[in-house]
Amino acid sequence: MSNSPVTAQAKGAGRVSAEQNSAVGEQPSVKRKKAAKGSTVKPVKAPTENAAATEPTAPSAEPTTKSAKRTAESAKPTAGTAEAAAKPAAKPESHLAMVRRARRINRELAEVYPYAHPELDFRNPFELLVATVLSAQTTDLRVNQTTPAVFAKYPTPEDMAAAVPEELEEAIRPTGFFRAKAKSLIGLSTALRDRFDGEVPGNLDDLVSLPGVGRKTANVVLGNAFGVPGLTVDTHFGRLVRRWKWTEQEDPEKVEAEIAAIFPKSEWTMLSHRVIFHGRRICHSRKPACGACPIAHLCPSYGEGETDPEKARKLLKYEMGGYPGQRLSPPADYPGKPAPARVE
């Protein structure tokens, strides 16, 4: 190899470009180098990263502005290259793995909430049906504070079917949307009186045929008044099963179908209670208490809420935070305090 000034200059250019390309985000410098006096050899292009240490063996044409730009762009690392090289992308969770994780979450929630139960006060299927209709767009606590006077005045479907609409509206006013709810209650009570001999039916098809009764209300009644397994897909349930990546569906009936395929039928009613309990107490809509969540290690959405344990504990509600529950007469094994009877 010749020791001419031109050759030595080309070697130096290769070494400089290699150093420049070693820095993330740094572009190789593409400058025209002045040829030695009397030489007809044109300066070489700045080498790309793969060719930085290679000595040019033949003269090349002078780079144009466009070619220099292309060379610079090709040598510039793309965003995320370093991270991708250091941390391989995680494989997507298989359906079988998701099912196993979902069932483990259910088992662990059963340990956290062994006392999970419907949070509406009721003494018979009719009272549960009425309370569930009233619970739309309000809290179970507000319903429980309202229904004692309602059930005292209208204890049976026959009594409620004969109610004066304005009087029933006034009785249920604290629950909101009282006109629409009064219409539904009078309608379903009339249907129970005329079509079912004043008895609440114990099957899904008959229940959803009643005015104001959908699948969610029907499943609440079936699961808790008749012991027939059902999934209660309310706002809490839908939000959590999507956070846990059990489903991507938004429509309640599609959510119900997909979750029903994951769990044995015998688990449906209690699964509903556990998920709803968790959504009300820890996994809130706007600010989940991630740092105080007992199933955080199984949650793919961990970090959406407060992760600091001390701050997260301050977000806990009901018995988990040391406050009263929603029922005025909770089950005997409920660890929290009964709700206040006064409507605030």
Side-chain angles (χ1 to χ4, degrees), residues 181-230:
K181 290 178 179 178
K183 183 178 180 180
S184 293
L185 292 179
I186 292 174
L188 70 84
S189 297
T190 301
L192 291 177
R193 181 195 64 192
D194 298 343
R195 293 166 46 203
F196 298 101
D197 297 323
E199 299 292 332
V200 176
N203 65 81
L204 184 66
D205 290 340
D206 286 340
L207 280 169
V208 297
S209 73
L210 300 174
V213 178
R215 289 184 66 90
K216 185 197 82 170
T217 298
N219 280 327
V220 170
V221 174
L222 289 174
N224 298 288
F226 293 99
V228 178

Side-chain angles (χ1 to χ4, degrees), residues 12 34 55 85 95 105 108 211 231 235 252 262 316 327 341:
K34 187 175 181 182
E55 183 178 355
H95 180 73
I105 287 176
E108 296 200 12
L231 288 170
T235 55
I262 297 174
L316 301 180
R327 294 191 67 165

